[in-house]
Amino acid sequence: MVSDEIWKFQPTAGYRAGVDLVGYRVEATDGHIGKIDKHSEAVDAAHLVVDTGAWIFGRHVLLPVGTIEAIDAATETVYVNRTKDEIRSAPEYDAAKHAGEPSYLEQFGRYYGRPHM
């Protein structure tokens, strides 16, 4: 069973409700991965959609907000506790499936909810 905590901001992350993270840089534990394209505060499903640009051929990835280690509002940077490889290996984000399939986020919860490298 996957913990629902992966979909909630950690108290130590420094997030303030209502702050729009769109456009913030995203840093993995081993470097820059892209910019936030979409941010959702949905109850029990809060997440970021990150545009990775040329890093992995323009792919969009979904990151549950429970992966956020810290938010630096001064530099508009979000630090996540996953490596580039972990994010690269994540399930593909598909906006159409996200909108049309209520269980779509479950695959991301299973992937990111397991212990990371």
Side-chain angles (χ1 to χ4, degrees), residues 5 8-9 14 32 37-38 57 66-67 69 72 82 100 104 109:
E5 296 301 308
K8 297 176 183 171
F9 286 96
H32 178 72
D37 191 44
K38 180 182 175 202
F57 308 108
T67 63
E69 282 284 310
D72 184 339
R82 296 298 190 273
Y104 180 65

Side-chain angles (χ1 to χ4, degrees), residues 5-6 9 13 32 37 49 52 56-57 59 61-62 67 72 78 80-83 91-92 103 105 113:
E5 296 301 308
I6 197 74
F9 286 96
H32 178 72
D37 191 44
V49 176
T52 61
I56 46 178
F57 308 108
R59 184 173 180 223
V61 295
L62 185 142
T67 63
D72 184 339
V78 172
V80 296
N81 62 5
R82 296 298 190 273
T83 65
E92 182 87 31
S103 63
L105 292 180

Side-chain angles (χ1 to χ4, degrees), residues 28-103:
T29 58
D30 55 353
H32 178 72
I33 62 165
K35 287 194 174 219
I36 298 172
D37 191 44
K38 180 182 175 202
H39 166 221
S40 170
E41 291 181 322
V43 175
D44 296 328
H47 61 275
L48 310 171
V49 176
V50 178
D51 179 353
T52 61
W55 177 64
I56 46 178
F57 308 108
R59 184 173 180 223
H60 283 79
V61 295
L62 185 142
L63 293 171
V65 297
T67 63
I68 297 174
E69 282 284 310
I71 299 169
D72 184 339
T75 62
E76 295 190 347
T77 304
V78 172
Y79 298 89
V80 296
N81 62 5
R82 296 298 190 273
T83 65
K84 289 180 180 183
D85 282 340
E86 286 175 298
I87 295 165
R88 183 180 294 126
S89 299
E92 182 87 31
Y93 173 73
D94 182 326
K97 285 183 182 178
H98 183 204
E101 297 177 24
S103 63

